[in-house]
Amino acid sequence: MRELLTMWRDTRMVMLVAVVAAVYAALLIPFKLFTILPGLTSIRPANVLPVFFGIAFGPAAAWGSAIGNLIGDVFGGTFGPGSIGGFVGNFFFGLVGYKLWGNLGPLSSGEEPDFRNQRLRQLIEYVAVAVAAAAACAAIIAWVVDALELVPFSVLGPIILTNNAVSAVVLGPPLFYLAYPRVKEMGLLYPDVLRTEDLPSRANSAGALAMLVVPLVWIGIAVLVLGGAPGSTAQIGLGAVGFLVTAVAAYVAGENFSAIVREA
Amino acid sequence: MSSTSLYVDADSFLHRLDPRAKLALLLAMAVPAYTFGRPAFIAIPFVAALIGLWIGGGLRNLRRVWFIIVALFIVGLVVWPGFVERGGPVVVDVGPVFLTEQQTLFALGRSLRITSFILGGLVYVSTTSNEEIVRGMRGLGLPYAFCFAVGTALRLFPTFLDAAGTVRQAQEARGLEISSKNPIERARSFIPLLIPVFMTAFRNIETQSMALEARGFDTRSERTFYRESTFATRDWLAVGATVAVSIASIALSTVGVGTF
């Protein structure tokens, strides 16, 4: 997790944060696939970007997605206390990708995400990463919004999970196939930009698998067990535990993508 | 200022406040809207936000976001009664719709809360330019590199938004169909829109980084600024008002005033 702070020393990473944020915000607003609740939530193709950016740009994508979502709120007129949840949720939306790719033990393909070799294994790994990222983002946003007693977790959590996961799963593979080699060619993959000493020195599959499972279990308990109790101590407490465990899992997971890139 | 921005270029009292003082005022609207539950009490920050919009010349922005505000209000009215115990006299009893007074007031309070939050945010973005937002963040002690990234993103955003529009028109002119009835087909039709925009954006990162470093950009060294933030008396008054309103709201709601 140290890389989330040390990346700010590198000018290219700072520029990546800015460009990721601007591109994410610029593509979030104008393009939408389907409206689920008017004014509140739509399935947007740009929801694939934090997953793509997360794997390619690593920590810069985590900060960039968070800032991009905040810019979307500012320009979209929905800036307010709920934007705190959007910031942290989208931070994790971008964070999960690089923590999990190549680090999921038996679920990992051991390949770069270019969908050229071992396509089925890459697809399985990608779906796991995309769903984990979508779930972490959904759980955190729904937790904060529920704690503010704006919209119940049981309503918003599944909607955000669906929104994020549908776009990421459907659009991810073709996007990686077409764009990943070009980003790599530009030398912008985070293992190529960050100094080796700034990268986590270890990879831990147990931590990565926990990052996959914990947000899904968190949403499951919040919706199916606690259900209709918005702003309750149980819901807030579950969120605090879920968030803490996800953050600790992210720290423990390290990352393995840089090793895959170096070996390629 | 780009037309995508909600900032209104004016010289109102709110415009003259330091961005940190405006954030404090945003808190002064959010705390009572959060601590109280009864609609009559939450209506106070709601009306205060509307007055703030009027003072700051931001009422015109309501035209751009009214749909979101109305939709959130209606969604709140529909969703929240399902999460409250029935109590008091029956207000609506039409077919499957059965609402008591308690359910209606609770839902109305929650809908007013979310719209108050959004209106409060709208006052802030209507009276604070992008540069001031970043200056305020810097004034709050956030690291320079982070503020620089936010400021650069805010500047780049309208450019990429325009590029997204241009790419969409260009691809549609080439025959791209983005309104297919098949949801998978429809989703995939967005790939030719996404890729050109972000490949264009990322192509210049290397050059931009070199240009920054050539001008001495260094996130680690101590920086000096041409324009330092000063906190005037009016800003302290705004902070004082926020503290007073927050303490009063918390104290009143703790003893059961304005709550269910």
Side-chain angles (χ1 to χ4, degrees), chain B residues 223-243:
Chain B
R223 300 189 67 86
T224 53
F225 293 89
Y226 177 71
R227 192 175 171 187
E228 292 290 346
S229 288
T230 49
F231 221 63
T233 311
R234 59 172 177 264
D235 301 314
W236 285 113
L237 285 173
V239 172
T242 300
V243 172

Side-chain angles (χ1 to χ4, degrees), chain A residues 75-165:
Chain A
F75 282 86
T78 54
F79 176 71
S83 301
I84 299 166
F87 185 90
V88 181
N90 277 276
F91 180 87
F92 272 80
F93 203 6
L95 177 80
V96 169
Y98 83 94
K99 291 283 177 188
L100 262 55
W101 190 271
N103 202 9
L104 283 172
L107 284 174
S108 282
S109 60
E111 297 273 341
E112 287 183 89
D114 55 9
F115 287 88
R116 281 169 168 76
N117 305 313
Q118 298 195 67
R119 285 183 185 173
L120 182 61
R121 291 206 63 190
Q122 284 201 38
L123 185 65
I124 292 168
E125 180 174 13
Y126 175 74
V127 170
V129 171
V131 170
C137 176
I140 292 166
I141 293 176
W143 171 47
V144 174
V145 171
D146 184 285
L148 289 169
E149 295 182 38
L150 298 176
V151 183
F153 190 116
S154 52
V155 174
L156 198 58
I159 288 176
I160 300 178
L161 173 62
T162 311
N163 280 5
N164 291 348

Side-chain angles (χ1 to χ4, degrees), chain B residues 29-234:
Chain B
M29 275 186 276
V31 172
Y34 178 69
T35 51
F36 294 126
R38 290 196 173 271
F41 285 79
I42 304 175
I44 298 169
F46 180 84
V47 172
L50 282 175
I51 293 171
L53 273 179
W54 175 65
I55 292 173
L59 282 175
R60 73 179 88 155
N61 282 332
L62 272 181
R63 262 177 267 152
R64 281 173 63 174
V65 299
W66 71 269
F67 181 73
I68 297 172
I69 293 171
V70 171
L72 287 174
F73 194 87
I74 292 170
V75 167
L77 285 182
V78 172
V79 167
W80 280 103
F83 294 89
V84 191
E85 283 182 22
R86 291 173 175 175
V90 177
V91 177
V92 182
D93 186 6
V94 183
V97 183
F98 182 88
L99 289 175
T100 63
E101 187 183 78
Q102 174 137 334
Q103 285 177 306
T104 311
L105 286 176
F106 192 89
L108 192 58
R110 291 298 185 270
S111 286
L112 272 174
R113 176 182 290 173
I114 195 165
T115 45
S116 298
F117 281 175
I118 293 198
L119 286 178
L122 201 56
V123 175
Y124 183 78
V125 297
S126 298
T127 58
T128 316
S129 66
N130 291 344
E131 292 75 17
E132 283 180 316
I133 289 175
V134 176
R135 197 157 56 87
M137 289 165 58
R138 182 73 192 134
L140 286 170
L142 292 174
Y144 172 71
F146 181 82
C147 299
F148 175 84
V150 174
T152 308
L154 282 166
R155 282 177 184 279
L156 289 173
F157 164 74
T159 311
F160 294 155
L161 195 63
D162 289 346
T166 309
V167 167
R168 181 181 193 145
Q169 286 172 350
Q171 300 289 45
E172 282 181 326
R174 289 183 178 93
L176 177 71
E177 178 64 60
I178 58 169
S179 51
S180 165
K181 285 182 180 169
N182 181 333
I184 303 292
E185 282 295 311
R186 193 170 175 184
R188 288 187 176 237
S189 67
F190 280 89
I191 290 288
L193 299 178
L194 298 178
I195 290 183
V197 177
F198 81 73
M199 291 315 292
T200 311
F202 290 106
R203 191 175 296 147
N204 296 323
I205 281 186
E206 191 71 42
T207 344
Q208 286 163 337
S209 304
M210 282 196 290
L212 277 172
E213 286 176 349
R215 286 168 174 78
F217 179 82
D218 182 359
T219 57
R220 281 166 289 184
S221 60
E222 198 61 37
R223 300 189 67 86
T224 53
F225 293 89
Y226 177 71
R227 192 175 171 187
E228 292 290 346
S229 288
T230 49
F231 221 63
T233 311
R234 59 172 177 264

Side-chain angles (χ1 to χ4, degrees), chain A:
Chain A
M1 297 285 265
R2 204 168 59 96
E3 71 277 8
L4 286 165
L5 299 177
T6 53
M7 58 139 273
W8 290 104
R9 294 188 300 209
D10 190 290
T11 311
R12 278 192 299 174
M13 289 301 272
V14 175
M15 275 309 297
L16 271 174
V17 172
V19 174
V20 163
V23 169
Y24 184 38
L27 291 173
L28 257 183
I29 292 174
F31 300 138
K32 75 171 81 160
L33 280 168
F34 302 102
T35 299
I36 296 176
L37 284 175
L40 191 66
T41 183
S42 313
I43 293 183
R44 293 175 187 274
N47 286 335
V48 66
L49 296 179
V51 183
F52 177 86
F53 292 155
I55 296 173
F57 305 135
W63 290 109
S65 303
I67 295 168
N69 187 72
L70 193 66
I71 291 173
D73 282 355
V74 168
F75 282 86
T78 54
F79 176 71
S83 301
I84 299 166
F87 185 90
V88 181
N90 277 276
F91 180 87
F92 272 80
F93 203 6
L95 177 80
V96 169
Y98 83 94
K99 291 283 177 188
L100 262 55
W101 190 271
N103 202 9
L104 283 172
L107 284 174
S108 282
S109 60
E111 297 273 341
E112 287 183 89
D114 55 9
F115 287 88
R116 281 169 168 76
N117 305 313
Q118 298 195 67
R119 285 183 185 173
L120 182 61
R121 291 206 63 190
Q122 284 201 38
L123 185 65
I124 292 168
E125 180 174 13
Y126 175 74
V127 170
V129 171
V131 170
C137 176
I140 292 166
I141 293 176
W143 171 47
V144 174
V145 171
D146 184 285
L148 289 169
E149 295 182 38
L150 298 176
V151 183
F153 190 116
S154 52
V155 174
L156 198 58
I159 288 176
I160 300 178
L161 173 62
T162 311
N163 280 5
N164 291 348
V166 166
S167 299
V169 168
V170 172
L171 297 178
L175 189 61
F176 272 97
Y177 182 83
L178 294 167
Y180 179 83
R182 298 180 199 187
V183 171
K184 186 178 180 184
E185 202 176 281
M186 289 179 194
L188 291 178
L189 294 179
Y190 78 90
D192 296 333
V193 178
L194 276 178
R195 293 178 308 177
T196 314
E197 59 265 33
D198 286 339
L199 289 166
S201 52
R202 70 197 182 295
N204 184 310
S205 293
L209 286 166
M211 280 187 84
L212 167 63
V213 173
V214 171
L216 289 168
V217 172
W218 174 2
I219 292 175
I221 295 173
V223 174
L224 302 173
V225 180
L226 299 179
S232 68
T233 312
Q235 196 72 266
I236 294 171
L238 172 70
V241 172
F243 180 74
L244 198 65
V245 174
T246 307
V248 170
Y251 173 75
V252 173
E255 63 87 44
N256 197 38
F257 182 60
S258 54
I260 293 173
V261 171
R262 266 185 239 115
E263 285 165 17

